[in-house]
Amino acid sequence: MASASPTASASSSTGRPTPTAGTSHSSANERTVFDPVTHLNLPVHDRTVEELHSAMSTPPSESPPPDIDRLRNSEMAGIIDAESRKDEWNDDAHQTKIQVATVAAGAAFAGASAILLLSRVLGGVMSGWAGWLFASAMCCILSLVAAACVLRFWKPQTSKVQLRGEETQLRTQPDSPETALWFNAFLGSLWPIVNPALFISVSDMLEDELQASLPKFIQGVRVADIGQGSEALQILGIRNLDGADAGQNNTTDDFVNLEVALAYRARPHGKSLKARSGNPHIFMDFLLTGGVVIPVWIELTGFLATARMRIQLMPNPPFMSAMTLTLLGQPKVTLKCTPLGRKFLNVMDVPFVSGWLQSAIDAAVGAYVAPQSLNLDLKTMLSGRDQMDTQAVGVVVVIVKSAAGFRNGDAGKFWESKKEQQGDPYVTIGWGKWGKPVWSSRVIENEGNPFWEEIAVLLVGPSEMNAKERLRLQLWDSDRGADDDLLGSVEVNLHELMENPKTQNQMSSRTDRFTDVDGSKPLPGELQWDCGYFAKTTLEQHLAEKGQNIDELKADVEHHAERELREADALQHKEEIEKQKNAELKDRGDEIIAESPPVDNWPSGILYIQIEQIHGLMVQNADGSVIRDGENEGEDLPSAYCTIILNHQRVYKTRTKMKTNKPFFAAGTERFIKDWRTASVIIAVRDQRLHELDPLIGVVVLPLHTLLKTRSQVSGAYPLVGGIGFGRVQVSLVFRSVQAHLPRPLTGWDLGTLDIQPHARAADGLPADLSACKLVLSTLNGKGKLHAAEGGWRQKRGRPLRLAVKRRFSECLLVEFRRHALGPDQTSAFCTLWLKDVADDEEATVTLPVWRSTKGALARARVNAQAPHEDSERVGTLELTVRLWPGLSGYHKALAEHDANVADVMKVLDAVEEISRGDGGTAHDSLYDDEDSSGQSQSEDDNAAAGAPGENGEGRGGLVSEVKDYKKRKEQLHRKHRGLMQWGAVRKLAWIGHNVEEAAEDVEQKIKGKFSHRQAEQGMDVEA
């Protein structure tokens, strides 16, 4: 969303009365905050019940009391109540009448005197002093009559303007205050017919706040319906923030700064539901423990708030570009909650429940109280246009290489052996002002000179730029039984990376000394690392790809801007025209980039994924006979949530939308992807259930290589398939390339399967003792063997070795030469292949140096991305043919038993595989079932050798085949709640078993954590 950027100084310097809480409020409720609209320090106070009652004391149809002094002494100083200005206006008119009457009386007296004098000169009717006395009396009477006529019949001059046949009176005084009466009348007519769907975001915000703070006895909550009622909000007062109020930086004509006072008073109604619907209301369902659902009717009874807004203008419809909205102090909101069942108590009589509801609403509204604000892209919202660009403006790429000379984190720990007292270092990367690390390297145990060679990518958005963030790298020593020790920090200003020519769109090597976390005290050691800032591709680069010229586009934009603002040009508003040109050029540029495919030269970029809502969400019964989609059967509706799976890793999870068949999410995430042509995006929708494992409602597969082939911005509704339900998910995608040319190996996925051909040979002569050894090839999550044979080493059955890989850029393939001997195998020599150097989906023959396993060289080489020390003995080379398949496969099943995230993704991939095969096409992941198929093939070979009947024969082979076939289909049946899982009791037993396994796994991990170092995992983002 676009955001306006305003700023300011103390409010007392503006020359207007300083807003206070009023005479009836203590100064303890006042505080000074930063106003994001004007950038001034502004005294505010939270609204109170007394103020709300005062605002509600007068019916909405009548004018509130004309207490101008009270308003001037309150926080709303300068905001004058529209209706109360009637009396002030009447006072001005009365004064004007008196002045006119005085002039008329004087004129009448002068005229009568002149007539009398003329008549006397011409020999009038009477003579003597009696005539003069009578004439003077008549002149006074005439003057009084003239004055009385003016006061009785004359009205101040008005101008009349004909509008749609109606005569509208407009005052001519240019300085008369603006009244909000006309707007309240207009709002009162418009309010009842506004589409309630526009308030979905409000109900969504409230539902999320309640869901995040549920008491233990409430399992879930959902907003079943929302309505704005027929009684509109009232504008108590509105004023324009002029140059003094808005600050020196906000005097430009393309911004409007307003301050508005709002209030609402519920109208009286009867007890019927129809009568209650006249007020703004929310119909909510509270799901209690045991499956009991309590429907609750919540209606708004009172509201009082003061807000400031900054609106950026534009010459074309809808004429408003962006808006920054902030609340001046905590608004006061009062509610009435009533259960819609006689058997339930009034929940407002329970202090805990009513207080919880009130606190949740206050927290939802308080998120936008100054100095916090809400930024809205009005242009996109009012025009209905999809988002054309990403929030992130670029990425910072960091390669952590090595560290040396740092303090020994284990020094002085008497319980550690001397060999272990070298520390267990790892590096974290994050933002200095935020404080929380967003990336972590692997832990290298017992190492004083670690080499990581790991890559990290951080998105840079407006929040990081506005906060003037600092990139922070920290070296830690991992401890098993205590908190990790900080060994040193390195900080670099983000703007320095963005503006330095050495780091603009290219990598630069650095060596920085360690300091403490504040940067004030130097610490021993230094960090070697590479970094670079890569901005998004420019409009010029996209036009050059299409063979177009940027100068022609700029000329066209300038021509249109000058025509649209030709009146401003006549007024010599040159600065306004330049701003409009830049804004229009950006809009045109965003549209051109969004309607164009990504630039071929830059496949890496930022992907924005947003889940809008799900239409027609339906769930099948356990027997598949009835589809539950009725709104009246709220207890049968699903409670859906979505997870986004990027390259077979869960990266984002939405909140749960309770019991609805049309959940509205409007939630998404931005992620850096290394190559959009090979990236995989899957959206999984699950149903959150009580005392059951959340079943998969369905999945959506988004093939980026197809969707982004013609344009960089895509939106559409995609059907859910592969689960127990149906529906269409509304999804928006935006991809923007960054100017980064990553090496081919670095564009691969983190997860993968390493395919090793079943033969290996020595590229040059190896000692005889090594040629006779077997080869043990292993990753952190897989292991295989090659046995010595003529001409090298081979797999016994001639099948490739396939090993699971979890963190491809931080682990290696370790090849050990092991001797055949009694007892444990002994490793005579070894070699390593770091998987960061292997490209995805490309078969390659690699030659690896073989080293003798002496002086701890093997243990060090497995975790250090560096060749062994010079004193290590190199005895030859080994040649292997490898291929790295991206993504999860059947060889990750053992990993899934201990990793819930991997297990969840594998279940989703089961559904994807079924869909792919059911369509008659080739499976997306041909390796996914290879582990099982290999085992089945081996059994068939053994049966054939033993003369056992085949699959279609009678005897043992047919039974084994049937059992294997059932095991293969069991996951598919259970995923769709078929087979044993069609009964609820079985599903509850499965849930209990799953919880027991999770508890046992947690205990196991805690015990292991006491004796080993646990590697940090890159977690999944959850909607806040």
Side-chain angles (χ1 to χ4, degrees):
M1 294 185 181
S3 61
S5 55
T7 25
S9 55
S11 176
S12 58
S13 64
T14 62
R16 64 182 176 90
T18 302
T20 64
T23 58
S24 60
H25 307 287
S26 64
S27 59
N29 195 26
E30 294 184 8
R31 62 186 184 277
T32 301
V33 298
F34 175 78
D35 181 10
V37 171
T38 63
H39 285 194
L40 294 170
N41 293 324
L42 180 69
V44 300
H45 80 281
D46 299 335
R47 290 300 180 183
T48 63
V49 177
E50 291 77 10
E51 287 181 311
L52 179 59
H53 289 169
S54 176
M56 295 168 55
S57 60
T58 304
S61 59
E62 300 179 6
S63 300
D67 190 358
I68 300 299
D69 293 335
R70 177 180 59 83
L71 288 178
R72 286 176 177 169
N73 293 328
S74 69
E75 180 195 0
M76 294 163 51
I79 302 181
I80 302 177
D81 189 299
E83 288 86 352
S84 66
R85 290 305 298 255
K86 292 179 180 179
D87 294 335
E88 182 179 348
W89 185 87
N90 290 334
D91 292 340
D92 294 340
H94 183 65
Q95 183 178 3
T96 303
K97 284 185 176 183
I98 293 176
Q99 294 174 353
V100 173
T102 303
V103 173
F109 184 84
S113 300
I115 295 174
L116 178 61
L117 179 62
L118 183 61
S119 64
R120 299 298 290 178
V121 172
L122 297 178
V125 197
M126 301 180 104
S127 61
W129 65 269
W132 285 102
L133 181 63
F134 177 76
S136 299
M138 291 300 299
C139 291
C140 292
I141 292 173
L142 288 176
S143 64
L144 291 175
V145 170
C149 292
V150 170
L151 292 175
R152 177 66 182 84
F153 300 106
W154 183 82
K155 293 183 179 180
Q157 183 182 0
T158 59
S159 61
K160 299 181 179 181
V161 179
Q162 201 70 15
L163 180 62
R164 293 186 181 179
E166 298 180 1
E167 192 174 60
T168 305
Q169 301 289 336
L170 300 178
R171 286 166 299 171
T172 57
Q173 290 89 337
D175 297 330
S176 58
E178 174 65 23
T179 175
L181 185 62
W182 67 271
F183 188 78
N184 284 330
F186 170 75
L187 190 61
S189 300
L190 178 65
W191 189 264
I193 64 174
V194 172
N195 185 359
L198 298 177
F199 298 93
I200 289 180
S201 59
V202 178
S203 65
D204 182 69
M205 178 181 63
L206 177 59
E207 180 181 301
D208 291 342
E209 287 291 341
L210 294 174
Q211 195 74 31
S213 58
L214 288 177
K216 292 184 178 180
F217 64 90
I218 299 181
Q219 297 297 322
V221 61
R222 79 171 182 115
V223 176
D225 187 28
I226 185 172
Q228 74 273 21
S230 57
E231 190 70 31
L233 291 173
Q234 294 289 310
I235 307 295
L236 294 182
I238 183 171
R239 74 182 179 106
N240 176 52
L241 302 178
D242 55 16
D245 295 320
Q248 297 179 354
N249 296 330
N250 298 327
T251 57
T252 55
D253 294 334
D254 58 342
F255 284 96
V256 173
N257 299 318
L258 301 174
E259 185 172 315
V260 183
L262 302 170
Y264 176 80
R265 178 178 187 242
R267 67 174 186 178
H269 58 70
K271 296 183 179 180
S272 66
L273 193 63
K274 182 178 180 180
R276 294 178 182 178
S277 63
N279 294 326
H281 58 271
I282 299 176
F283 180 42
M284 306 189 72
D285 287 336
F286 290 87
L287 179 64
L288 305 184
T289 303
V292 179
V293 178
I294 300 181
V296 178
W297 182 271
I298 303 175
E299 58 180 301
L300 180 67
T301 59
F303 176 77
L304 182 63
T306 305
R308 281 189 173 186
M309 59 189 70
R310 174 178 169 86
I311 304 175
Q312 184 179 7
L313 305 179
M314 55 183 293
N316 296 320
F319 305 111
M320 293 180 289
S321 176
M323 181 177 74
T324 298
L325 174 68
T326 187
L327 299 173
L328 302 185
Q330 180 75 32
K332 189 60 182 178
V333 182
T334 58
L335 305 168
K336 183 178 181 181
C337 305
T338 307
L340 298 183
R342 295 182 179 179
K343 59 181 179 180
F344 301 118
L345 296 173
N346 189 329
V347 295
M348 290 306 291
D349 293 336
V350 183
F352 176 78
V353 177
S354 61
W356 166 63
L357 289 171
Q358 190 69 53
S359 62
I361 294 173
D362 290 342
V365 178
Y368 308 111
V369 174
Q372 297 173 315
S373 62
L374 174 65
N375 296 321
L376 298 175
D377 187 353
L378 297 179
K379 177 176 59 178
T380 300
M381 294 172 59
L382 297 177
S383 63
R385 189 181 67 169
D386 294 328
Q387 182 169 334
M388 296 291 179
D389 198 1
T390 61
Q391 289 285 336
V393 298
V395 297
V396 172
V397 179
V398 178
I399 299 179
V400 180
K401 291 184 174 180
S402 63
F406 52 87
R407 177 174 59 87
N408 184 1
D410 289 339
K413 297 179 180 179
F414 60 90
W415 59 88
E416 298 278 3
S417 64
K418 292 184 178 181
K419 293 183 179 180
E420 295 176 342
Q421 288 187 359
Q422 297 188 38
D424 309 297
Y426 68 95
V427 176
T428 61
I429 303 177
W431 299 113
K433 294 186 178 180
W434 188 29
K436 180 182 177 181
V438 297
W439 180 90
S440 177
S441 72
R442 67 184 181 277
V443 178
I444 299 183
E445 298 183 18
N446 190 28
E447 180 58 56
N449 191 23
F451 283 77
W452 291 279
E453 294 288 348
E454 291 190 51
I455 184 172
V457 181
L458 284 72
L459 298 183
V460 178
S463 58
E464 286 79 17
M465 296 180 62
N466 294 335
K468 298 181 180 180
E469 273 287 5
R470 297 179 63 85
L471 183 67
R472 173 183 290 176
L473 290 83
Q474 294 181 312
L475 180 68
W476 298 83
D477 173 58
S478 177
D479 287 334
R480 291 185 287 264
D483 293 338
D484 296 348
D485 301 321
L486 179 61
L487 303 180
S489 296
V490 172
E491 286 195 12
V492 179
N493 193 300
L494 175 60
H495 286 276
E496 178 185 336
L497 294 178
M498 298 175 65
E499 298 171 1
N500 192 336
K502 294 183 179 179
T503 55
Q504 278 185 343
N505 300 323
Q506 61 181 341
M507 298 296 292
S508 175
S509 297
R510 299 177 61 105
T511 300
D512 291 281
R513 304 289 301 179
F514 287 123
T515 65
D516 62 357
V517 69
D518 296 327
S520 58
K521 178 182 177 181
L523 296 178
E526 61 183 18
L527 180 70
Q528 294 184 356
W529 56 299
D530 294 348
C531 66
Y533 170 77
F534 298 90
K536 293 187 292 189
T537 50
T538 63
L539 177 60
E540 291 86 345
Q541 292 167 334
H542 281 266
L543 292 177
E545 187 80 5
K546 301 172 65 174
Q548 299 179 4
N549 192 345
I550 184 65
D551 294 333
E552 297 179 359
L553 177 63
K554 288 183 177 180
D556 183 56
V557 169
E558 290 180 0
H559 176 69
H560 280 83
E562 291 173 355
R563 285 186 56 83
E564 292 170 350
L565 297 177
R566 55 185 178 273
E567 297 299 331
D569 186 29
L571 298 175
Q572 297 182 353
H573 289 180
K574 300 297 183 181
E575 183 179 355
E576 185 71 19
I577 296 178
E578 291 300 321
K579 290 182 178 179
Q580 176 58 26
K581 289 178 181 179
N582 295 332
E584 185 170 345
L585 182 61
K586 184 182 183 305
D587 292 341
R588 291 278 295 275
D590 291 342
E591 293 177 359
I592 292 173
I593 295 175
E595 295 172 357
S596 305
V599 181
D600 292 336
N601 294 334
W602 290 285
S604 302
I606 304 166
L607 179 65
Y608 169 73
I609 310 171
Q610 184 176 38
I611 303 173
E612 296 288 347
Q613 64 183 100
I614 304 178
H615 305 279
L617 186 62
M618 300 180 290
V619 176
Q620 288 183 333
N621 281 327
D623 58 1
S625 59
V626 179
I627 296 179
R628 301 177 289 192
D629 62 346
E631 276 292 347
N632 296 329
E633 301 179 11
E635 66 277 3
D636 292 334
L637 295 174
S639 299
Y641 65 89
C642 304
T643 54
I644 298 177
I645 300 173
L646 177 61
N647 292 349
H648 292 187
Q649 289 183 300
R650 297 200 307 174
V651 297
Y652 187 76
K653 178 183 176 182
T654 68
R655 290 183 178 175
T656 302
K657 303 301 176 182
M658 297 295 298
K659 301 295 183 181
T660 176
N661 68 344
K662 46 184 178 182
F664 180 83
F665 297 98
T669 183
E670 289 187 357
R671 290 283 170 162
F672 175 76
I673 56 176
K674 299 171 183 176
D675 192 338
W676 68 271
R677 299 166 299 188
T678 59
S680 168
V681 177
I682 302 173
I683 297 177
V685 182
R686 292 187 176 273
D687 182 10
Q688 180 176 298
R689 295 190 177 181
L690 185 64
H691 299 159
E692 285 188 26
L693 298 177
D694 297 344
L696 185 66
I697 299 178
V699 299
V700 172
V701 181
L702 301 173
L704 297 185
H705 63 280
T706 302
L707 296 176
L708 301 179
K709 193 173 184 179
T710 57
R711 54 183 294 133
S712 298
Q713 189 276 334
V714 180
S715 61
Y718 302 92
L720 287 171
V721 290
I724 65 171
F726 308 95
R728 300 185 72 87
V729 184
Q730 186 71 33
V731 182
S732 296
L733 300 175
V734 179
F735 177 79
R736 285 294 303 269
S737 299
V738 298
Q739 303 176 50
H741 292 284
L742 297 180
R744 177 75 172 88
L746 293 184
T747 61
W749 295 15
D750 287 342
L751 290 163
T753 302
L754 184 63
D755 187 307
I756 307 171
Q757 290 301 308
H759 53 78
R761 70 182 187 88
D764 51 17
L766 283 176
D769 62 326
L770 297 182
S771 299
C773 292
K774 64 179 178 182
L775 300 183
V776 178
L777 301 93
S778 62
T779 61
L780 294 179
N781 297 283
K783 180 182 291 187
K785 297 178 182 178
L786 294 179
H787 296 273
E790 184 179 355
W793 294 265
R794 295 191 177 276
Q795 206 269 345
K796 280 187 176 180
R797 299 180 182 88
R799 298 192 184 95
L801 298 178
R802 286 168 177 167
L803 311 179
V805 177
K806 183 181 179 182
R807 297 182 64 175
R808 175 262 194 85
F809 295 100
S810 62
E811 62 178 289
C812 68
L813 169 68
L814 177 65
V815 182
E816 300 176 74
F817 291 78
R818 290 190 179 178
R819 297 194 302 267
H820 296 278
L822 293 176
D825 292 335
Q826 297 182 1
T827 300
S828 301
F830 68 92
C831 53
T832 58
L833 171 64
W834 283 92
L835 302 181
K836 64 180 179 62
D837 300 323
V838 180
D840 276 4
D841 209 10
E842 289 184 2
E843 187 172 278
T845 300
V846 294
T847 302
L848 308 176
V850 180
W851 304 86
R852 285 287 185 184
S853 180
T854 57
K855 299 180 180 180
L858 172 61
R860 188 175 190 278
R862 181 158 196 164
V863 292
N864 275 277
Q866 182 196 32
H869 294 302
E870 297 178 357
D871 56 353
S872 300
E873 181 184 1
R874 177 173 176 174
V875 293
T877 56
L878 178 70
E879 187 177 279
L880 295 173
T881 301
V882 300
R883 186 169 189 169
L884 188 59
W885 299 94
L888 293 175
S889 69
Y891 300 93
H892 289 81
K893 289 183 178 178
L895 175 62
E897 295 177 358
H898 305 284
D899 192 321
N901 288 333
V902 175
D904 182 82
V905 175
M906 292 193 73
K907 291 178 181 178
V908 173
L909 292 179
D910 284 333
V912 174
E913 283 292 304
E914 179 188 346
I915 298 166
S916 180
R917 291 170 180 168
D919 292 340
T922 305
H924 171 70
D925 188 352
S926 61
L927 294 174
Y928 193 71
D929 290 326
D930 277 7
E931 186 179 41
D932 294 336
S933 62
S934 298
Q936 183 177 356
S937 300
Q938 179 59 31
S939 300
E940 292 174 355
D941 292 343
D942 295 340
N943 290 338
E951 184 177 345
N952 296 326
E954 298 178 358
R956 183 171 176 273
L959 178 60
V960 172
S961 179
E962 290 179 5
V963 172
K964 291 181 179 293
D965 182 63
Y966 172 74
K967 289 182 177 180
K968 201 170 185 179
R969 296 189 307 111
K970 181 179 66 174
E971 292 296 331
Q972 173 186 345
L973 294 173
H974 290 179
R975 186 176 66 252
K976 294 189 175 182
H977 284 182
R978 307 291 175 83
L980 293 176
M981 290 297 170
Q982 65 181 299
W983 291 288
V986 178
R987 297 198 297 272
K988 293 185 184 298
L989 288 175
W991 172 78
I992 294 174
H994 178 74
N995 286 347
V996 171
E997 291 178 358
E998 280 193 340
E1001 181 68 22
D1002 290 340
V1003 173
E1004 180 183 355
Q1005 293 297 330
K1006 289 180 180 179
I1007 295 175
K1008 287 183 178 180
K1010 299 296 183 181
F1011 301 97
S1012 62
H1013 299 277
R1014 190 171 183 180
Q1015 303 286 344
E1017 299 289 342
Q1018 307 303 318
M1020 173 181 60
D1021 292 341
V1022 180
E1023 182 184 0

